[in-house]
Each structure stands twice: as C-alpha cells, then as structure tokens.
Amino acid sequence: MHRDIELTNWTAVCSLDEIVPNTGVCALLNGEQVAVFHVADAEERVFAIGNYDPNSGVSVLSRGLVGSLGERIVVASPIYKQHFDLFTGECLEAPEHSVPSYRARVEDGKVWVCA
C-alpha cells in the first residue's frame, strides 16, 4: 500500500507488455523526454533515464542497445555508442555528459516513473 504523498510524483507511462524485453521506449513526463527500459534478466525490471544524449545533441537514448558492462546494466547510444548506466544515468566514457535517472517500477502490469 502506498501513501498518498508517494503517489503524487508517480506517473503510469505504459503497460509492461508494450515494451519489448531488453529495449526502451520514450515517454513524456512533465514536458521532459524520459527513456524507459524493460530489462528481462533473472527478474523483470524497468529503468528510466533522460532520453537526451548530450554527446550527440539529440533525444535518442530510448532507441539504444541494452546490455551490460561488467556488473553495470547500460544502454549504448545509437549515435556515438557511449554507454549510460541505467541505475544512475552516468555516461561511462564521459561522466560530465551523464543524464538524469528516475525511479521506475512495475505495478499491476503498468510501468510507473517518478519524476
């Protein structure tokens, strides 16, 4: 059970089954593009980071390739292939170009993002 105050910041963006496993989609939250990823590994997880790639200057991270580098779950930008940590938004090759990360969860089959 969630407290009412917690629910005010969470937005349902889509159903989990609308995101192909190990890919992402783009959602608009409070006027900002957010890349939302469905990672199907030992458990079904969702992650959300900013969709804008500061290395290329375009909003494309939701179209990147999901994978891992060591213990880190990342998305590789489709433009210049920099890797962004899906937990933190950190750009591994250029930390000064990191993006925001958002809390995300699945509840009742829907993907929720806290913005």
Side-chain angles (χ1 to χ4, degrees), residues 23-66:
T23 67
V25 298
C26 183
L28 192 61
L29 291 171
N30 300 327
E32 297 289 326
Q33 288 188 27
V34 176
V36 181
F37 298 93
H38 172 193
V39 175
D41 48 14
E43 55 188 282
E44 299 283 328
R45 296 188 284 175
V46 290
F47 299 91
I49 61 173
N51 193 43
Y52 180 78
D53 176 3
N55 298 291
S56 65
V58 292
S59 296
V60 294
L61 292 181
S62 64
R63 297 180 183 181
L65 297 174
V66 175

Side-chain angles (χ1 to χ4, degrees), residues 47-103:
F47 299 91
I49 61 173
N51 193 43
Y52 180 78
D53 176 3
N55 298 291
S56 65
V58 292
S59 296
V60 294
L61 292 181
S62 64
R63 297 180 183 181
L65 297 174
V66 175
S68 61
L69 289 176
E71 297 294 315
R72 296 178 103 168
I73 299 172
V74 298
V75 62
S77 172
I79 305 296
Y80 296 124
K81 310 302 184 234
Q82 282 90 356
H83 298 93
F84 293 85
D85 186 303
L86 292 183
F87 282 102
T88 66
E90 179 185 7
C91 178
L92 303 186
E93 291 81 9
E96 68 275 13
H97 290 166
S98 297
V99 298
S101 63
Y102 304 90
R103 292 186 300 160

